[in-house]
Amino acid sequence: MEKYKVGVIGATGMVGQRFITLLENHPWFQLTAVAASPRSAGKRYEDAVGSRWAMDTPIPQEARGLVLLSAQDDVDKIASMVDFVFSAVDMKKEEIKTLEEEYARHECPVVSNNSAHRWTGDVPMVIPEVNPEHIAVIKAQRQRLGTRRGFIAVKSNCSIQSYVPALSPLRSFGVEKVLVCTYQAISGAGKTFATWPEMVDNLIPYIGGEEEKSEQEPLKVWGRVENGVIVNAQGTSITAQCLRVPVSNGHTAAAFVTFKHKPTMEQIKQAWKDFKGRAQELALPTAPKQFLHYFEEPDRPQARLDRDLEGGMAVSIGRLRPDTQYDYKFVSLSHNTLRGAAGGGVELAELLCAEGYIEHK
């Protein structure tokens, strides 16, 4: 098949770097343009990144010699070069909203890792296995923007992908109350232990804005498209605490849940085992074959052992047991920069291409 030409804006940051690695040898996508801040424009990618390259693998050969463009000043040029862009820019929220809409109005679809547009009513916030039907709202968004090809689609916050996939197959039992504590890796802050030595032997019980996202974003993911916007799900309340922990990659969640119609433990485990989404039906290149993996061992999942399961795109679950205050409790884990960030963005782009929302120019 003819490959889609892809750009990455915000290409020098940690999530941008992860996008670059995931596009190497991708069967559908060809990295064609990279962009960052105006001060980096004109530099070769490998020169601009230099010692800030934070991935475990070397900079892909196809990216090394690409000349960086300005994400803000070269919108027209970038839009003319590619079929769509991934957005991982590090700017103020209102600036991101304006910039992503500018790309969309230049008829360049945007698949964003940023939070800026997550609460725009006609912007789908998609976990491909959970709510692929939300991409239907793009039609209304295009009408608002006055575009034919251009639109914005976003992925959800990285932390909710450690527990929302585990809860989603259980919604048929009526998920009423959820308490969740997340233990989030330092890469979620764009850091490594080399750049953030203060995190060694440390725990920070606060991540700005994270608890609000953890309590609200699942309700949009579980919502429905109605009259050209996404309406939040009703009937489920979520309370969250989010902590930064000394782990390089992998967000872990301890979740407690009460149901309207309490299932058995066997029913829950079977629901997890049987769960497949549209991504699996379409056999998207990045999609895990088995989305949810349950471990019977009492000491699993563990970040070091399980975060890379199925290329870092699967979700690991364990320690399901009854609770004295809620019906059940469990622990779940996802790789925050793969499933939770760039990998989830790539899978979303694959879904949009497979469903005909992104076409070759």
Side-chain angles (χ1 to χ4, degrees), residues 60-80:
Q61 193 63 42
E62 65 181 1
R64 289 177 180 272
L66 289 178
V67 176
L68 279 162
L69 299 168
S70 169
Q72 296 160 273
D73 300 331
D74 295 321
V75 175
D76 190 58
K77 182 175 182 179
I78 294 167
S80 70

Side-chain angles (χ1 to χ4, degrees), residues 289-300:
K289 290 184 171 57
Q290 180 70 34
F291 183 35
L292 306 176
H293 291 249
Y294 184 78
F295 291 89
E296 294 287 354
E297 297 90 335
D299 61 349
R300 303 283 287 278

Side-chain angles (χ1 to χ4, degrees), residues 115 118-119 125 155-158 160 164 212-223 232 238:
S115 65
R118 287 182 191 157
W119 290 106
M125 181 172 67
K155 51 156 294 300
S156 64
N157 188 42
C158 54
I160 78 165
V164 164
E212 294 83 353
K213 295 173 186 176
S214 296
E215 293 171 354
Q216 294 299 317
E217 287 190 18
L219 304 181
K220 182 173 181 178
V221 170
W222 290 334
N232 283 5
I238 303 172

Side-chain angles (χ1 to χ4, degrees), residues 1-233:
M1 63 177 288
E2 179 188 357
K3 286 192 174 186
Y4 295 86
K5 296 177 181 177
V6 180
V8 178
I9 61 173
T12 57
M14 183 173 281
V15 175
Q17 292 177 25
R18 182 67 79 178
F19 274 122
I20 297 293
T21 63
L22 293 174
L23 291 171
E24 185 179 22
N25 301 319
H26 191 284
W28 293 7
F29 302 150
Q30 178 63 51
L31 180 64
T32 305
V34 288
S37 64
R39 66 179 178 272
S40 297
K43 298 178 182 177
R44 295 171 72 251
Y45 182 75
E46 72 172 333
D47 295 333
V49 174
S51 61
R52 293 184 294 118
W53 182 255
M55 301 294 105
D56 294 332
T57 55
I59 299 175
Q61 193 63 42
E62 65 181 1
R64 289 177 180 272
L66 289 178
V67 176
L68 279 162
L69 299 168
S70 169
Q72 296 160 273
D73 300 331
D74 295 321
V75 175
D76 190 58
K77 182 175 182 179
I78 294 167
S80 70
M81 295 171 63
V82 301
D83 295 309
F84 71 94
V85 295
F86 290 113
S87 174
V89 292
D90 183 12
M91 299 162 60
K92 294 178 180 177
K93 185 170 291 189
E94 287 305 313
E95 294 174 344
I96 294 173
K97 290 180 75 170
T98 299
L99 183 64
E100 291 181 348
E101 285 206 1
E102 188 175 356
Y103 276 90
R105 292 182 193 278
H106 275 74
E107 300 294 0
C108 180
V110 178
V111 179
S112 179
N113 183 72
N114 300 302
S115 65
H117 273 292
R118 287 182 191 157
W119 290 106
T120 304
D122 57 12
V123 171
M125 181 172 67
V126 177
I127 302 172
E129 286 83 357
V130 175
N131 61 326
E133 71 279 4
H134 282 195
I135 61 177
V137 82
I138 288 171
K139 179 179 178 181
Q141 185 193 149
R142 282 172 166 161
Q143 290 175 340
R144 174 176 65 86
L145 295 174
T147 60
R148 182 184 62 81
R149 292 186 78 253
F151 65 87
I152 302 161
V154 301
K155 51 156 294 300
S156 64
N157 188 42
C158 54
S159 67
I160 78 165
Q161 300 194 52
S162 61
Y163 60 92
V164 164
L167 290 172
S168 294
L170 310 181
R171 294 188 68 229
S172 60
F173 301 112
V175 175
E176 288 190 320
K177 289 199 305 178
V178 177
L179 182 154
V180 63
C181 297
T182 61
Y183 304 88
Q184 301 184 202
I186 63 172
S187 56
K191 305 284 189 178
T192 65
F193 287 117
T195 61
W196 202 5
E198 296 84 0
M199 272 307 300
V200 176
D201 192 31
N202 196 16
L203 180 153
I204 299 175
Y206 173 73
I207 306 171
E210 202 75 3
E211 288 163 1
E212 294 83 353
K213 295 173 186 176
S214 296
E215 293 171 354
Q216 294 299 317
E217 287 190 18
L219 304 181
K220 182 173 181 178
V221 170
W222 290 334
R224 67 189 186 279
V225 177
E226 186 176 294
N227 298 323
V229 297
I230 297 166
V231 179
N232 283 5

